[in-house]
Amino acid sequence: MADLVTITVDGVAMQGKAGEVLIKVAEDNGNFIPRFCWHPRMKPVGMCRMCLVEVVGPRGRMLVPSCTTTINEGMEVDTQSAVVKKAQEGVLEYLLINHPLDCPVCDKGGECPLQDHTVAYGPGESRFVEEKRHFEKPIPISELVLLDRERCILCARCTRFSDEISGDPLIEFKDRGNAVQVITFPGEPFSSYFSGNTVQICPVGALTAKPYRFKARPWDLEAVESVSMVDSIGSKVSVQSSQNEVVRIDGIDNDATNHGWLSDKDRFVFESIHSADRITTPLIKEEGQFREATWGEALDLVAERLTSFPGAQVAGLGGANSTNEEAYTFGKFLRTIVVTPHIDAQLDDGLDPQFLVGVTPRAAIPDLETAKTILLWAADLKEEYPVLYLRVRRAAAELGANLIVVHPRATGLDDVATHKVRYRPGTGPEVLRELTGDDADYTEIREALAAGPVVGIVGRTGLGEDPRLAEAVAAFVRDFSEGKIMPLARRGNVVGALDMGLAPTLLPGRVSESAAHDVLESEWGPLPEGLGRNATSILEGLRDGELRALIMLGTDPVRDHAEPELAAAGLDGAEFVVAMDQFITDSVAAADVVFPVAGFAEVEGTVTNIEGRVQKVNRLVPSPGQTRATWSVLDDLARRMDGNLGATAAAAIAKEITGVAPAYHGVTWDALDWGDGREGLLLPLAEGVQHLEYIPVDGQLASVDARYGLHLGRVLYDDGVRVRMSPSLAALRPEGAVFLNAAALDALGLAPGSPAVVEGASGRVELPVAVDNSLGDGTVYVPANLESTRSLGAAVAVTVSPGGDA
Amino acid sequence: MKILTERMEAHRTDSHTIERYEATGGYSALRKGFEIGPEAVTAEVKASNIRGRGGANFPAGVKWGFLAPARPAYLVINADESEPGTFKDRQLLERDPHQLVEGVVLSSYALGVNHAFIYIRGEYPKPARRVQHAVDEAYAKGYLGKDILGSGFDLDVTVHLGGGAYICGEESALLNSLEGRRGEPRIKPPFPAVEGLYSKPTIVNNVETISNVPWIVSNGGIAYASIGPDTSAGTRLISLSGHINKPGNYEIVMGMTWRDLIYDIGGGIPGGRELKAWIPGGSSAPWFVPAEHLDTPATIDDVNDLGSMMGSGAVIVMDETTDVVAAAHRIVRFYSHESCGQCTPCREGTTWLERIFNRLLNGQGRMADIDLLIDVSDGISPGLTWPPAMTTICPLGPSATAPVVSIMKYFRDEVEARVVSGIPVALEAADG
Amino acid sequence: MKPATLSEAEMDAISDWSESSQQLVRELLGKYPDKRSAVMPLLYVSMIENGYVTAEGMKSVAVLTGLTGAQVQSVASFYSMYKREELGKYLVSVCTSISCFLLGADDVLAAIEDETGVPDGETGHDGTFTVEHVECNGACGGAPVVLVNYEMVEGVTAEKARELVKWLRDGGPDVVGTEEMQQLFGGAKSFDWAVREPEGAVLPVPAFAPYGSARGVK
Ligand SMILES: Cc1cc2nc3c(=O)[nH]c(=O)nc-3n(C[C@H](O)[C@H](O)[C@H](O)COP(=O)(O)O)c2cc1C
Ligand code: SF4
Ligand code: FES
């Protein structure tokens, strides 16, 4: 416990923690001191001078900036004195010298601290008669952000963010004194995955986001708190709409997950919500073509067809992009109405479901604040979990944690890593054995790991990697003092879906099917016997005729499964396919019936992030056309199949979950909407129990021996449907390429840009080759899930050869 | 009594060479220092009571005492000399660089520092050449590098050239600059002695301050302290410039009156004209005028008590022909040009002051501008007292208010007349 | 202090620099505990290579110091001596701060503008002169002061300033040295310079040997 210090502000005694700055202690105790440059998540710079207050000391009163002054016992502060008022007026008058008075057309007008402070603390009028400074009108500093230098008040929030927080200092001050401006370098735009944060923290309208510009006036906005479902970090957001259209997403500051920051994907993916490509009516396929249908017609048809198969010949895929309530209803529908055990929310691109939800001891994101050592052996966080990347970056750069990054190529965190290990895909098991053994190369890393607490962030570095390697790494980390594991799973609510039992080996509430089968039958009625198939096996079964029908919930195996050919063959082999989705993805196109369902910002419910933190997502806008909530579609379908799911409302389902799912006992919406629960509830709560305690094993994998090991790594802006449907983000997708180091290019007789062929067991691509010297000998890197690279499929052992006519 | 300039006066043409330096007792203080040990060297500097010559006049020994124990620690010599009116360090750098180098070695030894930096302003290539040459000579002779004179003490010295920015004279801005950053002053605390260069404990001292160290070690701190008034001990270099017959640097013992300084040492005002005002300690200092200050003593504390400062020891003299509005404008313009731009009041306020002055000089002044000048100044330095209260991080912004306050205090009638006629008072007088 | 060894990428960034500049880069990087500290000296080296601070030059310095272009630009633009536009062969800087102002610096500046035909802050069409006024240069005792490529002349009058310009224009010396110019065009000095020094500047970059622009005056 940090020491408490007592101070007096304007005659009121208050307490803060030793080392805290005055402005924060005062604010926490209800005394708001005006400020522009201070931001609670960044180091104070004390530049704007708006927060000056008087501290009364033995040698009289002293004007000090409250944002850089740390409190001491007995400190006496005056925030209201004539001198303070005068200083505040002065600062505002100085700031307005060059600030245009274009509030009516400024995006920030109405929610602008400069405007507000001027009203509250400013002088009546300006005595400045000279001409204001002028700059060229807004200049784009990236694809997403515009800069209006005239409005800038030089608070250094954006520059500090890019330097301190996101680690891509591409936006900086230029010139000196009264000529200072914020700007990028010619040919080096502020193309950061985090650029939108600078717009959010800009205290004036100098930085604006293209997707939001001129869309709305702040006073017209409605907002709800929610959770970003772009990835599994559970970043807290404020979703804002104008006239029933989502126009903006901002981060909400919380200690638990995102500290208020978002990736640009979290922030601008809202464009997909109102895409013209949304499916808005049920569709039935006739002679290879979809036609619009009524709900009654579509539901009847599906009920009839599903009833016609034995339950065990039907399978369900998906649910990892749904809320817990939707996922729960999906699982209950499959297990009790269809009566099938073949269920998987993952597409065999993740980790073992039992490991993912059951590993102990499990690390929470805030554990990164206290970790001494972090072993990161997983995907490139910057590409796949950008907000977690920020937290790890902070741990290493600001909090002094040792960071060990093990990855096949350079990652976004290498610059703050204390140790980097690069390896050829397929040889991970060998690296792990050397690390666990006494190989001299790894002595320093072993020593670092000996200093606990240790957090092991584990996952698959690329799509081809054996998931059991992550488990073996976890088994290794667990042995260190205070070692905790953070297993990574990619899709928005994958942990929630698994917690709701959407895996062959799991039932709702973080319990294994074998252990909880009988208990759940007493709640749900008879359940299918035996363990079902996982995603790959389901697709194989469909292809081979062992399974006959498939129900998909918000999933796109044709793009996302490691073997796209298998996925296509599976859908092709199925006699009947139903899809519940928002878009006609490649997989949905293969369906016989499509139900249009509501999505993010259109439904309420809960989601569970990678830590096992449950948070509430909320509804803000109506879903378009005839779209309906997933649970209500399933409920209708169940009735038509002579069953009853009792899914009358999301809230009712949530109540059922707390009763049925052991780890979710006590997780009520009330608890999530108010008080501490707004930061989410980390499971299990005192009332809940986690029966599943999965001990990771080191299965002593064999390395894959091949001339070339393929690193099929994800990139943030890939061809996933939500990026494709968000025009601002879609424009940022990179071109596909085959990456090799320069020596490999030479050896193959290739020049940069010339075509190369990569071929493995799951497919092949021919693409221009590019140099990446962070790749070791024998490593070939291809970005996953781009239009141009999807045909490759995940394999570790590949061949690389010159393409084209060569 | 001469300490710093004795050698250069006695040996005009070669005082900067190592041969001459050694032949005149140079580097013997270093040998003595190694004999008596680092604590004893520190004790001598403390006993000398020498106050920093960079402008703030802070006692060097006290500052050294603040050096935090973490290592590495650094010593940085402030040779950024940019305060208008000041040119004393340039002479020390050019004419007796080994005196500085020996001071650096002794000080580093006392402080437990193994890497020292000499930060020379960019516009001083010739002084930098001399210092670099002296450093090279010192390396060659074993006064720098590994195991200096068999003492077991190692020291490297890097000579660094600035890029043209007055603010880099402010010690924390200097450290940022030395780290390859913008020369923006840092928030204090932490002070450099605790967290300085590369966040390590660092002592920043002026060229003149450290150039005194060899003498102090050779002759003892007590001997130094006994020169001149108690709180202005030792000799110091005064730079005389402006309307004066004998401009230049003078090493003096403090305590004489301003009249002695300006009329005896400086030879009085050219053409027998009247003295109108002078700035006693660099352009940042509030002005003095003959009627009130000519017979007061030029010591650190006396000047402080009278609301100004000795600062860097630069005395700028203005005779009766001076257009004080134009002179004040020149000084304000300097601070506006040199503001680093961090603090709102400094960045915007100094520029605003400059622009109001521009109007006054163009004959577009209004009476209200007089109050406005004062009020804008007050927003940068509340209360307009000296030493200044500040709404800013560093004293650069408040320095810009000194000339404004000075002309309003002593020459308000001239300013008002300027507003009315648009013509400088001094010119009017000359015309008839 | 040993010269640094450069990585392949670092060498690539300065592959078109002269060998002597490349060597300088290694030496400069070896002088500091942290390579970022070498930004300022390296910017001077880039000026030696390119004549002024170009975008490419800043990019090279960025690679050498592990910074982004924006960070190097931020530093370079803070200081007044890292010129970001092409300069004349002679950068003539006139101090117009208070002490020089009191002794007629404005007239000296006017004379230089007139004689060169180049207004304050600009570079002449023929590329011979860049003229600028600057703030205090530490020669207040020898005011007014003029710098040519940062080599100082003290005690300059308007007439002497014109002669200096003519001398530069007509003679076109490749090296300008403070001693020679002081003798020809200077007057009162801040202090006794005492020694004749044979070095001078060959470019509008301070002639400080470690940064490479100094050379002997004929
Ligand atoms: C705006 C400003 C400019 C300064 N310029 C110089 C300078 O040019 N030279 C110098 O030695 N000190 C200068 N100083 C003082 C330094 O901050 C610091 O006090 C000094 O270098 C410490 O050395 P000393 O204790 O030996 O005097 C300046 C201070 C300020 C606030
Ligand atoms: S007062 Fe001026 S120079 Fe000093 S830190 Fe503030 S802005 Fe920079
Ligand atoms: S908020 Fe404290 S100075 Fe800006």
Side-chain angles (χ1 to χ4, degrees):
Chain A
M1 275 281 95
D3 296 341
L4 284 184
V5 171
T6 305
I7 61 172
T8 312
V9 180
D10 300 335
V12 179
M14 49 182 71
Q15 287 191 317
K17 292 198 209 86
E20 280 188 315
V21 286
L22 189 48
I23 195 170
K24 178 166 191 303
V25 175
E27 180 172 356
D28 289 349
N29 289 280
N31 189 335
F32 182 89
I33 299 170
R35 80 292 296 265
F36 294 112
C37 65
W38 188 68
H39 186 284
R41 295 288 179 193
M42 297 191 286
K43 287 197 205 109
V45 284
M47 283 173 61
C48 74
R49 317 306 285 176
M50 189 65 213
C51 70
L52 294 169
V53 295
E54 278 195 303
V55 168
V56 190
R59 273 176 288 137
R61 293 170 157 256
M62 263 250 294
L63 207 49
V64 300
S66 55
C67 71
T68 61
T69 304
T70 44
I71 54 168
N72 340 315
E73 187 62 40
M75 184 183 249
E76 220 180 291
V77 182
D78 189 342
T79 75
Q80 304 290 328
S81 70
V83 174
V84 171
K85 295 261 177 240
K86 177 90 203 315
Q88 289 171 343
E89 278 182 20
V91 168
L92 284 166
E93 189 176 25
Y94 296 139
L95 284 176
L96 292 173
I97 283 180
N98 282 312
H99 190 85
L101 300 176
D102 61 349
C103 309
V105 296
C106 176
D107 262 352
K108 203 81 176 185
E111 54 177 12
C112 171
L114 180 59
Q115 215 177 26
D116 297 345
H117 285 5
T118 302
V119 174
Y121 310 95
E125 52 177 340
S126 172
R127 295 168 293 177
F128 184 77
V129 296
E130 285 78 8
E131 205 186 330
K132 286 180 191 270
R133 179 172 50 209
H134 285 297
F135 283 114
E136 199 185 308
K137 260 315 196 186
I139 44 176
I141 55 167
S142 76
E143 296 291 333
L144 295 170
V145 178
L146 291 166
L147 166 66
D148 202 325
R149 287 169 295 174
E150 289 187 317
R151 293 185 186 145
C152 173
I153 58 165
L154 304 171
C155 67
R157 282 180 167 204
C158 57
T159 54
R160 273 180 289 158
F161 173 84
S162 69
D163 187 14
E164 262 175 49
I165 307 288
S166 71
D168 36 25
L170 297 166
I171 170 165
E172 279 282 353
F173 280 162
K174 184 171 158 245
D175 295 327
R176 180 173 87 202
N178 198 37
V180 175
Q181 51 176 296
V182 165
I183 198 74
T184 52
F185 187 69
E188 246 183 44
F190 182 43
S191 43
S192 163
Y193 285 165
F194 305 96
S195 66
N197 293 295
T198 62
V199 175
Q200 185 177 334
I201 61 179
C202 179
V204 291
L207 292 168
T208 46
K210 279 192 208 168
Y212 172 70
R213 244 170 109 81
F214 306 128
K215 278 259 169 70
R217 307 305 297 157
W219 49 87
D220 289 338
L221 293 177
E222 287 184 53
V224 290
E225 288 191 5
S226 197
V227 176
S228 175
M229 290 178 69
V230 163
D231 62 26
S232 50
I233 303 306
S235 303
K236 189 125 181 140
V237 294
S238 159
V239 188
Q240 301 163 25
S241 69
S242 169
Q243 290 160 2
N244 281 336
E245 192 178 321
V246 176
V247 292
R248 184 164 72 175
I249 292 179
D250 277 339
I252 293 180
D253 197 344
N254 67 344
D255 284 327
T257 56
N258 54 318
H259 282 180
W261 312 126
L262 294 179
S263 73
D264 287 352
K265 192 168 170 182
D266 291 306
R267 190 179 297 273
F268 298 120
V269 77
F270 73 81
E271 287 182 336
S272 65
I273 297 173
H274 306 290
S275 164
D277 290 340
R278 276 289 289 273
I279 318 169
T280 53
T281 63
L283 301 171
I284 292 176
K285 194 175 272 164
E286 274 171 7
E287 290 163 19
Q289 293 290 320
F290 284 126
R291 70 159 173 86
E292 295 188 352
T294 65
W295 273 105
E297 202 180 357
L299 286 164
D300 284 344
L301 174 61
V302 172
E304 183 199 318
R305 292 300 307 272
L306 287 182
T307 324
S308 72
F309 302 107
Q313 291 182 1
V314 180
L317 283 178
N321 292 314
S322 308
T323 63
N324 290 342
E325 289 71 12
E326 290 166 339
Y328 175 85
T329 312
F330 187 49
K332 192 175 176 188
F333 175 79
L334 287 163
R335 283 204 162 96
T336 67
I337 307 293
V338 178
V339 197
T340 175
H342 310 307
I343 301 173
D344 205 342
Q346 301 193 91
L347 290 172
D348 245 20
D349 55 351
L351 303 174
D352 183 290
Q354 305 216 37
F355 172 47
L356 210 43
V357 301
V359 66
T360 53
R362 188 185 199 93
I365 294 173
D367 286 329
L368 294 169
E369 304 277 308
T370 47
K372 261 257 170 47
T373 303
I374 298 167
L375 173 66
L376 172 60
W377 192 334
D380 183 349
L381 296 187
K382 192 169 185 177
E383 300 291 343
E384 289 199 39
Y385 310 87
V387 169
L388 185 62
Y389 156 88
L390 296 182
R391 296 293 301 252
V392 174
R393 180 166 203 89
R394 171 176 149 79
E398 298 291 328
L399 305 175
N402 295 306
L403 174 63
I404 303 155
V405 180
V406 190
H407 199 77
R409 66 188 286 260
T411 74
L413 286 163
D414 283 17
D415 63 325
V416 293
T418 37
H419 303 279
K420 287 170 290 209
V421 179
R422 301 247 172 85
Y423 67 96
R424 176 162 62 78
T427 63
E430 210 170 295
V431 174
L432 181 60
R433 270 191 290 279
E434 286 167 4
L435 193 56
T436 46
D438 50 12
D439 192 285
D441 286 352
Y442 296 106
T443 312
E444 280 184 33
I445 296 185
R446 274 191 296 272
E447 279 168 14
L449 285 165
V454 177
V455 172
I457 303 178
V458 303
R460 295 160 80 166
T461 56
L463 286 180
E465 192 158 77
D466 193 324
R468 289 169 301 172
L469 176 61
E471 202 170 317
V473 174
F476 166 62
V477 171
R478 249 178 130 252
D479 287 342
F480 290 101
S481 101
E482 301 175 69
K484 288 185 180 179
I485 313 299
M486 181 180 290
L488 294 186
R490 189 159 182 274
R491 294 194 177 73
N493 192 30
V494 67
V495 174
L498 298 177
D499 272 356
M500 295 301 113
L502 298 189
T505 52
L506 296 174
L507 289 177
R510 219 170 274 182
V511 288
S512 72
E513 136 72 50
S514 46
H517 186 97
D518 296 347
V519 186
L520 189 62
E521 276 192 337
S522 67
E523 299 280 348
W524 276 7
L527 295 175
E529 291 301 327
L531 289 188
R533 294 167 178 255
N534 73 1
T536 300
S537 173
I538 287 171
L539 291 167
E540 285 166 351
L542 289 166
R543 179 193 62 193
D544 300 341
E546 292 158 12
L547 298 179
R548 295 167 65 198
L550 176 67
I551 312 175
M552 295 188 294
L553 172 57
T555 184
D556 187 1
V558 176
R559 271 186 196 253
D560 289 345
H561 192 274
E563 292 176 67
E565 283 178 22
L566 167 63
L571 289 175
D572 206 39
E575 285 173 42
F576 185 67
V577 178
V578 191
M580 290 183 275
D581 215 312
Q582 300 173 35
F583 296 99
I584 311 248
T585 63
D586 292 3
S587 305
V588 173
D592 297 286
V593 180
V594 184
F595 293 135
V597 292
F600 180 75
E602 297 162 353
V603 299
E604 62 176 344
T606 57
V607 291
T608 307
N609 79 348
I610 51 158
E611 313 156 275
R613 183 184 306 278
V614 185
Q615 299 180 91
K616 184 91 191 301
V617 293
N618 285 306
R619 178 169 193 267
L620 177 66
V621 292
S623 62
Q626 299 180 40
T627 47
R628 290 174 56 186
T630 302
W631 54 263
S632 90
V633 177
L634 291 167
D635 194 64
D636 256 7
L637 205 50
R639 283 174 211 283
R640 282 175 163 78
M641 292 168 74
D642 298 325
N644 183 0
L645 291 173
T648 52
I653 303 167
K655 210 173 256 168
E656 184 175 323
I657 294 171
T658 61
V660 172
Y664 282 66
H665 291 335
V667 184
T668 65
W669 281 13
D670 258 3
L672 292 168
D673 278 338
W674 307 105
D676 291 347
R678 281 173 68 191
E679 293 239 327
L681 298 173
L682 204 52
L683 298 187
L685 309 177
E687 306 91 292
V689 270
Q690 175 163 345
H691 291 297
L692 185 62
E693 280 202 18
Y694 188 85
I695 309 297
V697 286
D698 182 355
Q700 295 285 329
L701 298 180
S703 286
V704 179
D705 202 24
R707 174 67 189 88
Y708 283 100
L710 170 64
H711 174 58
L712 194 61
R714 299 222 184 235
V715 288
L716 187 66
Y717 304 125
D718 63 6
D719 272 305
V721 67
R722 278 179 294 183
V723 170
R724 267 184 289 139
M725 296 302 158
S726 302
S728 298
L729 299 178
L732 301 175
R733 288 171 298 175
E735 300 278 337
V738 168
F739 293 87
L740 292 164
N741 68 25
L745 248 68
D746 281 352
L748 289 162
L750 291 167
S754 59
V757 173
V758 181
E759 188 158 10
S762 312
R764 150 187 210 283
V765 282
E766 177 166 343
L767 286 169
V769 71
V771 176
D772 177 347
N773 282 331
S774 79
L775 300 170
D777 179 44
T779 303
V780 53
Y781 161 60
V782 177
N785 198 18
L786 296 177
E787 193 63 47
S788 57
T789 64
R790 2 184 329 226
S791 61
L792 178 54
V796 174
V798 291
T799 59
V800 182
S801 53
D805 299 328
Chain B
M1 169 90 216
K2 299 274 194 283
I3 292 174
L4 298 166
T5 57
E6 190 183 4
R7 185 176 299 101
M8 64 181 82
E9 280 181 11
H11 306 278
R12 263 197 79 232
T13 55
D14 63 357
S15 60
H16 61 290
T17 63
I18 196 159
E19 292 76 21
R20 174 60 62 200
Y21 192 67
E22 287 179 328
T24 49
Y27 290 111
S28 60
L30 184 56
R31 290 197 165 78
K32 179 175 173 195
F34 287 148
E35 267 163 38
I36 62 177
E39 293 81 14
V41 173
T42 308
E44 294 298 351
V45 171
K46 283 202 172 126
S48 77
N49 272 342
I50 184 169
R51 293 171 72 169
R53 306 295 197 227
N57 299 320
F58 193 81
V62 176
K63 190 194 283 189
W64 286 18
F66 293 150
L67 189 71
R71 288 296 176 272
Y74 298 103
L75 171 67
V76 178
I77 302 305
N78 189 342
D80 192 61
E81 188 167 65
S82 315
E83 175 82 7
T86 318
F87 48 94
K88 65 189 178 72
D89 294 338
R90 191 177 128 220
Q91 182 167 355
L92 294 173
L93 297 168
E94 276 187 39
R95 298 291 311 280
D96 206 343
H98 281 287
Q99 183 171 249
L100 174 65
V101 172
E102 186 177 12
V104 168
V105 186
L106 276 167
S107 305
S108 300
Y109 174 64
L111 294 164
V113 159
N114 301 108
H115 196 160
F117 297 82
I118 303 178
Y119 186 109
I120 304 181
R121 67 177 298 189
E123 297 88 341
Y124 275 9
K126 180 177 161 195
R129 296 195 286 263
R130 290 268 170 91
V131 172
Q132 182 68 53
H133 191 70
V135 165
D136 294 345
E137 285 176 328
Y139 267 107
K141 286 259 187 162
Y143 298 125
L144 285 175
K146 295 256 171 273
D147 189 18
I148 298 169
L149 303 180
S151 63
F153 174 65
D154 305 337
L155 179 67
D156 279 319
V157 171
T158 299
V159 181
H160 183 94
L161 205 62
Y166 161 73
I167 190 59
C168 291
E170 194 283 334
E171 56 186 4
S172 62
L174 184 152
L175 296 177
N176 272 339
S177 180
L178 197 47
E179 288 181 9
R181 301 171 194 279
R182 297 163 65 82
E184 289 163 348
R186 299 175 180 175
I187 308 275
K188 295 175 209 173
F191 288 91
V194 176
E195 237 180 80
L197 189 62
Y198 312 121
S199 303
K200 296 291 187 305
T202 302
I203 292 293
V204 182
N205 271 131
N206 172 261
V207 171
E208 184 185 342
T209 313
I210 295 300
S211 293
N212 276 298
V213 171
W215 193 96
I216 291 169
V217 172
S218 289
N219 299 278
I222 309 264
Y224 192 89
S226 65
I227 305 168
D230 274 359
T231 55
S232 289
T235 64
R236 75 177 290 175
L237 283 178
I238 298 291
S239 305
L240 290 182
S241 69
H243 297 139
I244 192 148
N245 275 320
K246 296 196 290 177
N249 288 322
Y250 297 92
E251 183 173 6
I252 61 161
V253 175
M254 280 181 279
M256 66 178 68
T257 64
W258 290 102
R259 183 187 299 279
D260 295 343
L261 195 60
I262 294 170
Y263 286 95
D264 289 354
I265 293 191
I269 314 296
R273 285 190 291 273
E274 286 296 314
L275 175 63
K276 187 168 192 176
W278 73 95
I279 313 180
S283 69
S284 302
W287 301 7
F288 273 4
V289 289
E292 293 183 27
H293 304 110
L294 201 55
D295 293 306
T296 63
T299 71
I300 295 172
D301 294 320
D302 288 296
V303 178
N304 279 356
D305 291 346
L306 292 168
S308 188
M309 63 170 183
M310 284 292 283
S312 55
V315 180
I316 303 166
V317 180
M318 293 177 268
D319 72 13
E320 59 183 314
T321 65
T322 307
D323 173 357
V324 290
V325 180
H329 163 257
R330 257 334 131 101
I331 296 174
V332 165
R333 187 188 75 175
F334 173 82
Y335 291 103
S336 148
H337 184 257
E338 300 300 334
S339 165
C340 83
Q342 290 189 93
C343 311
T344 307
C346 172
R347 179 185 67 240
E348 306 294 341
T350 57
T351 310
W352 195 3
L353 289 176
E354 183 194 345
R355 294 178 74 171
I356 300 168
F357 269 115
N358 281 340
R359 278 196 290 104
L360 294 189
L361 294 179
N362 293 338
Q364 294 170 326
R366 307 164 307 175
M367 271 306 166
D369 288 335
I370 293 178
D371 283 343
L372 187 56
L373 282 169
I374 294 173
D375 204 48
V376 172
S377 299
D378 191 67
I380 306 171
S381 179
L384 297 174
T385 51
W386 201 268
M390 321 200 295
T391 59
T392 51
I393 293 173
C394 91
L396 183 147
S399 295
T401 69
V404 180
V405 173
S406 300
I407 61 169
M408 296 307 176
K409 188 162 164 196
Y410 302 118
F411 307 104
R412 188 168 176 127
D413 49 339
E414 282 188 37
V415 183
E416 285 174 2
R418 188 63 186 262
V419 170
V420 175
S421 71
I423 302 168
V425 171
L427 273 185
E428 247 172 350
D431 288 348
Chain C
M1 290 181 285
K2 278 206 224 76
T5 26
L6 300 185
S7 73
E8 216 170 292
E10 289 164 342
M11 269 317 288
D12 266 3
I14 52 169
S15 57
D16 57 341
W17 288 15
S18 67
E19 223 159 273
S20 62
S21 286
Q22 291 177 349
Q23 184 51 29
L24 255 173
V25 167
R26 288 190 201 95
E27 280 167 23
L28 288 169
L29 285 168
K31 280 175 181 275
Y32 301 91
D34 182 325
K35 64 183 177 179
R36 180 168 181 153
S37 280
V39 165
M40 292 173 59
L42 290 175
L43 282 167
Y44 282 130
V45 180
S46 87
M47 287 179 78
I48 290 166
E49 285 297 322
N50 304 319
Y52 63 106
V53 176
T54 61
E56 296 74 55
M58 288 192 270
K59 199 67 232 182
S60 302
V61 173
V63 173
L64 293 170
T65 51
L67 300 175
T68 63
Q71 287 175 304
V72 172
Q73 172 180 267
S74 181
V75 174
S77 61
F78 185 88
Y79 301 92
S80 55
M81 294 167 69
Y82 302 116
K83 306 292 184 190
R84 282 166 292 151
E85 271 165 33
E86 195 146 8
L87 294 171
K89 183 173 178 188
Y90 306 112
L91 170 64
V92 183
S93 316
V94 183
C95 175
T96 53
S97 280
I98 182 70
S99 298
C100 287
F101 163 77
L102 290 172
L103 295 175
D106 288 8
D107 297 339
V108 173
L109 175 61
I112 288 174
E113 288 180 278
D114 184 57
E115 193 62 41
T116 56
V118 179
D120 185 9
E122 292 184 24
T123 299
H125 299 301
D126 66 354
T128 310
F129 294 105
T130 299
V131 176
E132 61 173 4
H133 80 269
V134 292
E135 298 296 350
C136 180
N137 264 297
C140 322
V145 63
V146 174
L147 309 184
V148 179
N149 291 349
Y150 301 107
E151 295 293 297
M152 184 179 280
V153 200
E154 294 189 83
V156 182
T157 59
E159 295 73 59
K160 287 284 183 187
R162 285 181 189 274
E163 284 174 34
L164 169 61
V165 169
K166 283 186 206 136
W167 178 77
L168 290 168
R169 187 172 48 217
D170 300 343
D174 289 331
V175 186
V176 290
T178 180
E179 309 287 344
E180 186 180 18
M181 290 190 294
Q182 179 67 29
Q183 204 159 44
L184 294 171
F185 311 107
K189 292 184 295 229
S190 294
F191 52 84
D192 178 7
W193 292 12
V195 204
R196 287 214 55 182
E197 204 191 44
E199 279 176 290
V202 293
L203 289 166
V205 179
F208 172 48
Y211 306 169
S213 92
R215 204 189 289 161
V217 187
K218 61 188 164 339

